[in-house]
Amino acid sequence: MPEMPDMIVMAAVTFLGMGMLTPIVKLYAVEHLGLTETGFGKLVAPIAAAMGVFAVPMGRLGDKYGKCSAVCWGLFGSALAMWALALFRSITVAGLAGIVIGIGFITAFPAWNALIVSLTTPERRGEVLGSVGLAQGLAAIVGASLGAFVYASDVLSFPRLGVVNYNVPFWVSAILL
């Protein structure tokens, strides 16, 4: 923590936001987008395919333009897509946003890990990477708990603004990203 507090905070905030969606994504798709189990699989398949197809090219772009640029662009694209999910309730938007978030993740995450290990001495790389990984994991666990709680309650709902319990985790995730 003392060596890279900013990196640990950024990792925790980002994974808190993404973790909020872990327990509710499928519920949201079934309950509010009207998808069936098969329909959800059909929605996720192109997202997974896009991630597979773009993994190597996005990694090469990250190498070409730098780790910091790859992290920034990956998070920026993911944040924009998350705002689209928060604002619009549509299967098409969900599918396209999922693709953008997936590509943003495969762009940012490897560059993020490379950036972290490049900012410390070789003797401390494992320790620093482990500390950041711990922050990411704990934040994802807390995010999953919060996301499920918020999704199931009206604590943060503002119906007149179009912010209701089932889309609040998307709003919070977008803000955190």
Side-chain angles (χ1 to χ4, degrees):
M1 181 70 170
E3 189 167 328
M4 302 188 149
D6 53 340
M7 295 294 199
I8 290 176
V9 169
M10 183 174 164
V13 168
T14 303
F15 275 73
L16 178 68
M18 294 307 291
M20 289 192 76
L21 304 181
T22 303
I24 60 114
V25 140
K26 187 174 176 189
L27 285 173
Y28 177 81
V30 171
E31 293 176 0
H32 300 285
L33 297 179
L35 293 175
T36 62
E37 295 284 330
T38 305
F40 182 74
K42 288 179 181 178
L43 180 67
V44 173
I47 297 168
M51 289 175 72
V53 167
F54 287 103
V56 172
M58 296 313 284
R60 291 214 170 119
L61 281 175
D63 288 340
K64 182 177 180 179
Y65 294 107
K67 298 177 278 284
C68 206
S69 291
V71 171
C72 290
W73 282 108
L75 283 176
F76 178 72
S78 295
L80 285 179
M82 193 59 65
W83 277 109
L85 281 172
L87 293 170
F88 305 106
R89 194 168 120 185
S90 156
I91 293 171
T92 304
V93 170
L96 293 173
I99 290 170
V100 172
I101 291 168
I103 292 172
F105 178 80
I106 62 168
T107 302
F109 194 66
W112 171 251
N113 287 328
L115 182 63
I116 289 168
V117 298
S118 71
L119 294 175
T120 189
T121 63
E123 300 82 34
R124 307 244 3 234
R125 284 185 182 157
E127 177 185 353
V128 169
L129 192 57
S131 297
V132 172
L134 174 67
Q136 291 169 338
L138 290 176
I141 291 168
V142 170
S145 300
L146 285 174
F149 172 76
V150 170
Y151 185 84
S153 72
D154 286 329
V155 172
L156 298 174
S157 292
F158 301 98
R160 290 187 174 181
L161 297 175
V163 179
V164 290
N165 63 321
Y166 58 82
N167 71 356
V168 169
F170 293 97
W171 282 86
V172 174
S173 182
I175 290 167
L176 291 174
L177 284 178

